[in-house]
Amino acid sequence: MDGTGEPGGLRIRAAPSPPFIYPQHGRLKVKTTEKQAEAKRVEREQKLKLYREATEAIFQKRQEGHLDESVLELTSQILGANPDFATMWNCRREVLMHLETQKSPEEFATLVAAELGFLESCLRVNPKSYGTWHHRCWLLGRLPEPNWTRELELCAKFLEADERNFHCWDYRRFVAQKAAVPPAEELAFTDSLITRNFSNYSSWHYRSCLLPKLQPLPDSQPPGRLPEDILLRELELVQNAFFTDPNDQSAWFYHRWLLGRADPKDAIRCLLVSRNEACLTVCFSRPIIVSPGIETLMLFVDKSPLPVEWRTPDGRNRPNYVWLCDLPTDFFNGQSPQHSFSLMWGEVQKECVLYKGLKESWCQDSATDEQLFRMELSMEKSTVLQSELESCKELQDLEPDNKWCLLTIILLMRALDPLVYEKDTLKYFQALKVADPMRASYLDDLRSKFLMENYILKMEYADVRVLDLSYKDLTLLCHLDQLLLVTHLNLSHNLLRSLPPALAMLRCLEVLQADGNAIESVEGVVNLPRLQELSLCDNRLQHPLALQTLASCPKLSLLSLECNPLCQLEAAPEELRAMLPGVDRILT
Amino acid sequence: MADKLPSEFDVIVIGTGLPESIIAAACSRSGQSVLHVDSRSYYGGNWAGFNFSGLLSWIKEYQEESDVGEEWAAWQELILETEEAIVLRKKDQTVQHVEVICYVRQDSDDPIEKAGAVQKNPVSVMSPGLNDPLDTVDTSCSDTSELPAPHNEPETALEVLEVEVTLEKENQHGYTSCSQSALERDIAEHVPIMEDVANAPKKHWITYSQIVKEGRKFNIDLTSKLLYSRGLLIDLLIKSNVSRYAEFKNVTRILGYQEGNVLQVPCSRADVFNSKKLTMVEKRMLMKFLTFCLDYEQHPDEYKAYEQSTFSEYLKTQKLTPNLRHFVLHSIAMTSETSSNTLDGLRETRNFLQCLGRYGNTPFLFPLYGQGEMPQCFCRMCAVFGGTYCLNHAVQCLVVDKESGKCKAIIDHFGQRISAKYFVVEDSYLSEKTCSNVTYRQISRAVLITDGSILNADSDQHISILTVPPVEPGSAAVRVIELCSSTMTCMKGTYLVHLTCMSLKKTAREDLELVVQKLFTPYAEVELENGEQEKPSLLWALYFNMRDSSGINRDSYNNLPSNMYVCSGPDCFLGNEHAVKQAKTFFQHILPNEEFCPPLPNPEDIVFDGDGVQPEVLVPKPDTAKEVTGQRNPEEHAQE
C-alpha cells in the first residue's frame, strides 16, 4: 500500500501535510443502499457460479475416476464454503484412500497434515458441522501414528469457545477412548467446564460415563453403583448446582442418574402350572420374544426336555413379559403323584413342582424382596437418601413451586419407603400438578403407577390374590405382569379409558370389576381362561362390537353393562347374545 | 516555528481529558475541522496515565511551587476594541496534597550489602511509622524531590532522555496524532531491558532502583476507573469502532471486606455455584435475590413498602444472611449503608448484574496499559478523521465578541489568533475569575505499588475490585482496584493498587491511610521481621487530592459565551458514564442533526467524491506498536 514494508499500511503519525481525508472535499462518503444491494447481488451471483462450476467439475472427475489432488483442491473450495455437503467429504475420502496406495508414506504424511489443517479451518467456520467432525474421526482412525494429544488440545480449544458443542464432545470421547486417557483426567476436564457453566448436559453426561470407570469396583457391588465417597462428593456438587439454579434441568437429570441404578439382571419372575388348562405360564423380568435365534427357552418336565410351542397371552407374539405354552393333555392323567417343571432361559433357571391333587402350582419372586419398584432409584443406604431428602425439602421451602425439586422429593420418598411415605407422596403430587400444569397428565400416570406399586406390595404382604384398586383416580394400569396370579381385581371408579392389551397377562383372573370408569375399549380382556364375571357398568362403551374380544374368554358367564351408551341401542342385547353365546347373563 | 497552524477551525477543543477527546472525535467524525490542544506535554489531563518516571515528573510539577513564568501580555494587542478576553489559567490547580512515601530501599541495588545499615533505610529515615502522618508530610515531600532518575542507572536515564527529546521534536511540529505512550512503547521495545529481576531467586527484595529501572512497565493512571461492560463507554467504543485502538481484560474478582478479611464475593451464577464459603441455602437466597433484582421493576409489591427506607434496611427483609447483605450492599450495589435508598440500591444491583456475563464473570473491563488509554483512543480517531493535535500548546485567552457575546477565537502562546465556531474547554483551564462562584468537591486518591495481592489465589494474575466500607464514622467508602502485571500497568512481581474515595478530611492521606494500613504492611517491617506475612507489603505510595468538577451547572460559571462548553474532569464514580453523557450532550448542541460517533463505514463501501487525488489510503487503518500487540475489539476478546 505504501510500499515501505511497514505492517498494515497506514501509520498514524504527526503529519502536518496534507491530512489524508480532506474535511472540505473528498470527504468520506458511504455508498447508497441500492448500490450496496446491487454489489451484494453481483457478488452472490459470482459466488454461486463458482460454486456450481466447482461442483460440476468434481462430479465429472469422480465419474471418470480421476481421483487426484485436484479433486482435493476443488472439494476444499466447496467445503470451505459449505462443510455440510456430505458427498464432497465422501469424495475426499475416496481420493485419500486412492492416494494412499499411490504415494510414498512421506508424501502421504504431508497430505494428511494438510488435511488436518484443512479440517481445522473448516471447524473454525462451522464448529458444529457433522461432516467435518466425522471426516476427522475417519482420518485419525486411519493414521498409523495419530497425535492424540493434539486432538485433545483441539477439543479443549473448541469447548472453550462453546462448552456445549456436543459435536466436539462426541469427538472428545472418541479421542479419549482411542488415546486411553485415564478417566480421572477426563473427569478433571469436565470439572473445569462445569465450574465455568454448570448448565451443560454434555459435561454431566460425560461424568456419568467416567465415574463408573474411575476405579475397579469390587465384584460384590451391584453394577452401575458408585462407591459411597464418590457418590457423596457428586451429590454435593450437583446440589450446589440446583441450589444455585433450581430451574436448570441438567443438574436434576444428573442427580437422578446418581440415585438411579443399572437395569436389573434377567430373571424368571414367575412360573405357573395349571392342571385344568394344561398350561404353563412364565413371567420374565423384561419383555422378550421367544423365537429361535432371539430367545430360546428350554422346558424340562420331570427332568426330561419337552418341546412346546410358546405364545403370548394375546396371541400376537410380540415382545411380552408373559409367555405360555400348552402341555400335552395326557400328561396329567398319568400315575405319577407329582410333576416337576424346570425352565431355562439362558443362564436363568426356575423350577416349580405340581403336587398331586393340586389344580395349580407356582413359583414366584417376591416384589417386596427384590425391591422391584425401586428400580428407578437406587438401593443406596437410606442415610444417603434421607439426607438428600432433607436438602430437597429445604430447597422446596425456599422454592415451593419448583417442579424439579418436588419431583425429586417424590422419587426420594419412594426410594426410601413407598408405603411409609404414601400419604406425603400424594400430597406432593398435588403440589407438583399445580406447579407444572403442562404435564398434569404425565403426573397422573406417574401417580397411578406409584399407587399400583404400593397396592401390589400391600397385596403381597397380605399374601392374597385379590386386589382392590377402586376409587384411586387411576389413569393408567401398569405392572400388570406382577398380577399373574390375581383372581379378583377391582378397578371400579377410576379414570381408566381402556382395559389395555397387557391385561391379558392376568391368566388367573376370575372376577374383574371396572365400573364407573371411562372405558371405551376392552381389548385386554382376551383369552382369559378363568374369567367368569366382568362388570363394566357406567362406562363409555359405544357399541356391542367393542366387546368382541370377550368371546375368547371361555368361562365368562356374567357380563354387566348397565349405564353404557350402547344400552341405548335397541339392537344391542340381541347383537351381544349373538356375539357372546357362551355368556349366561348379559345385563344391559 | 516552522508550521503555523491554520487560522480557522470549526471546533477548538482545549484539554485532552476523556469528554474533550470524545467530543473532538465525534466532531471530526462528522466532518468538522477540529483543533485539539493541551498545554500539558501529555495526553489526558487528569485522565492521564504515566510510566514511573513520567509520574515522578508529574509529582515534581505539583510539589514544586514553581512560578508561572513571565506574564506575556502581548496578546492584549490582538484583541480588538469590540472584543474582550476570557483569560485562561496558567497553572493547573486541580491537584493538591501530593505526598509520596517510599518504603523500599532507595540507595542501593543490593539489599544484602546494606542490610545492616539501618540508618540508610529510607523508611526509617523519612517515615518512622504510618501512625504519625503530620510529622512525615514534609519529610516525605522533601525526600521525594530528591528522587530523580537514579544516577547509578545510566541506561535508564538515557531512555528517559531519548523519549523527552522525541516528544520535544514531535511537539515542535505542532501536529502530533500519535499517542505518547504508544510511542514510548515503541522505543521501549528497542531498548534491551536488564532482566535481573527474572533471573533473581524467587524471594527477592524489590528495591527502588528496580522500580525505576523497570519504570516503563508501569502505566499509572491519575484516575482509576473501570468500564461497565454494558456501560455507555463500551457502547460508544464498539459503535464508533474506537475499540480497535485498545485491548481489554476482564476484571476477574469482585472482593468484599468484612471483619478485617478480604473475601471473594460470589456474584455470577458460576461464582455462586463454585463458592465453598456459602451454604446451600445461602446460595439459593442469594441467587433468588439477584434474579429478582434483574427485573425488580416487574415486581413492585416486593419493595414498594421499603421505598423510603435505606437499601441496607431493605436487604434485612430479604432473608439474606448478614454475610450476603454485606456483599450485596458494598460489593455489588456498591452503595452507602446509610444514605442509599432502596430504589438506588436495586437499580445499582441491576446495573451490576446486567453487565455480568457479557465478557466474563464480572461486570467490568479494564483497558490494557491503563485507563489513560481511553482519551488517547478517541484522540486517535479524531486525528484519523483529520483533527489537528498540539500538545504543549498553551492558550492565553478566548476572544469574545462584545456585541454578540459569542466566542470568536483563541490566542495561543505564540500569539497566533485562531478562530472557530465552537469552543470546548476543560474546567481546569478556567481562571478563578470565571469560576469564582463554583464550589468543587475533592477526590482522594492513593496509588500503591505492592509486592502481593490482597487476596492470594490460584493465580497471581487477577484484576480485583474491592469496596472497603467506611472504616470509622465520618469516613467514606474506599474503592480499591488492584491491577496485576498482565494488565501492562506494573512490573512483574508487583501489583498496582488504586484507592479512590470522596474526600471528607483535609488530605487524601488522611482519608485513605487507615484503609491502606488495614490492607498492607510497610515493606520495611517485613524486612526486619522476616517472618511470614499475611498482608502484602507496600513498596511505594502516592497520595493526592484531585478536584471533582463533575455535576457543576453551566450557570455557575461567570459570563460563559453561548458557544463555549465546559467539560468536567474525572468524577469519583467507578464508571465513565458522566464523561460520555457530557460529551454527547455538548456534541448534540454543536451539531444537532448529526449522529454521535456513527460506525465507521465498511472499507468496500467508501467512495470518494470531489476532484482531489485519491488519497493514498482510504480507510483509517491504524497500525502502531499497539496494533501489533494484537488489537481486538471487546466482542472478539470475549469469545476467547
Side-chain angles (χ1 to χ4, degrees), chain B residues 124-169:
Chain B
S124 57
V125 172
M126 65 182 223
S127 180
L130 291 166
N131 311 323
D132 196 2
L134 280 176
D135 192 42
T136 54
V137 173
D138 287 342
T139 337
S140 58
C141 284
S142 61
D143 227 289
T144 320
S145 60
E146 291 167 11
L147 302 177
H151 299 291
N152 57 348
E153 288 293 325
E155 198 178 340
T156 317
L158 257 176
E159 280 175 51
V160 175
L161 201 65
E162 192 182 341
V163 173
E164 278 165 6
V165 168
T166 319
L167 284 173
E168 191 76 5
K169 236 162 68 187

Side-chain angles (χ1 to χ4, degrees), chain B residues 443-508:
Chain B
I443 301 167
S444 285
R445 289 273 293 114
V447 175
L448 317 173
I449 300 172
T450 71
D451 72 344
S453 174
I454 45 177
L455 180 62
N456 283 321
D458 47 335
S459 154
D460 62 351
Q461 293 298 308
H462 277 295
I463 309 173
S464 315
I465 172 169
L466 161 71
T467 311
V468 181
V471 284
E472 53 183 24
S475 65
V478 175
R479 181 171 77 235
V480 181
I481 295 177
E482 184 186 77
L483 304 167
C484 58
S485 59
S486 65
T487 61
M488 319 306 272
T489 58
C490 56
M491 64 184 243
K492 268 208 179 101
T494 66
Y495 292 82
L496 184 66
V497 184
H498 287 284
L499 284 79
T500 311
C501 75
M502 218 173 349
S503 174
L504 296 176
K505 296 179 185 161
K506 195 164 154 280
T507 69

Side-chain angles (χ1 to χ4, degrees), chain B residues 243-247 622 625-633 636:
Chain B
S243 54
R244 68 159 68 188
Y245 303 137
E247 207 177 344
K626 260 163 71 182
E627 192 79 356
V628 178
T629 63
Q631 291 303 308
R632 283 184 217 110
N633 69 32
E636 287 166 355

Side-chain angles (χ1 to χ4, degrees), chain B residues 324-399:
Chain B
L324 296 179
R325 290 205 297 270
H326 182 93
F327 288 157
V328 171
L329 184 69
H330 297 292
S331 303
I332 294 182
M334 291 184 275
T335 52
S336 151
E337 184 153 12
T338 48
S339 62
S340 300
N341 71 31
T342 302
L343 285 181
D344 290 341
L346 287 171
R347 196 178 48 245
E348 287 304 315
T349 308
R350 181 181 61 185
N351 184 30
F352 181 101
L353 296 170
Q354 282 176 337
C355 291
L356 273 179
R358 185 174 192 185
Y359 301 118
N361 277 337
T362 74
F364 307 111
L365 293 179
F366 180 77
L368 291 191
Y369 304 104
Q371 165 83 18
E373 293 293 295
M374 289 293 97
Q376 294 187 47
C377 288
F378 285 95
C379 288
R380 180 179 288 186
M381 169 167 167
C382 177
V384 164
F385 283 89
T388 304
Y389 274 80
C390 302
L391 290 186
N392 270 337
H393 199 106
V395 173
Q396 301 284 343
C397 66
L398 299 168
V399 183

Side-chain angles (χ1 to χ4, degrees), chain A residues 7 10 199 240 243 398-399, chain B residues 269 283-284 288 605 623:
Chain A
L10 175 69
S199 299
N240 269 314
F243 268 85
L398 304 172
E399 299 290 322
Chain B
R269 196 165 166 269
K283 289 186 178 195
R284 185 77 291 271
K288 198 171 175 156
D605 294 340
D623 78 308

Side-chain angles (χ1 to χ4, degrees), chain B residues 247-295:
Chain B
E247 207 177 344
F248 298 88
K249 262 194 189 300
N250 224 112
V251 170
T252 53
R253 298 189 300 190
I254 310 289
L255 304 179
Y257 188 80
Q258 204 182 13
E259 287 156 11
N261 296 314
V262 177
L263 305 164
Q264 183 159 1
V265 175
C267 55
S268 69
R269 196 165 166 269
D271 284 352
V272 174
F273 171 65
N274 292 318
S275 169
K276 301 259 181 284
K277 298 251 162 68
L278 300 180
T279 67
M280 295 289 174
V281 174
E282 278 184 316
K283 289 186 178 195
R284 185 77 291 271
M285 293 324 296
L286 181 59
M287 283 300 289
K288 198 171 175 156
F289 179 71
L290 296 181
T291 314
F292 154 72
C293 286
L294 264 177
D295 60 350

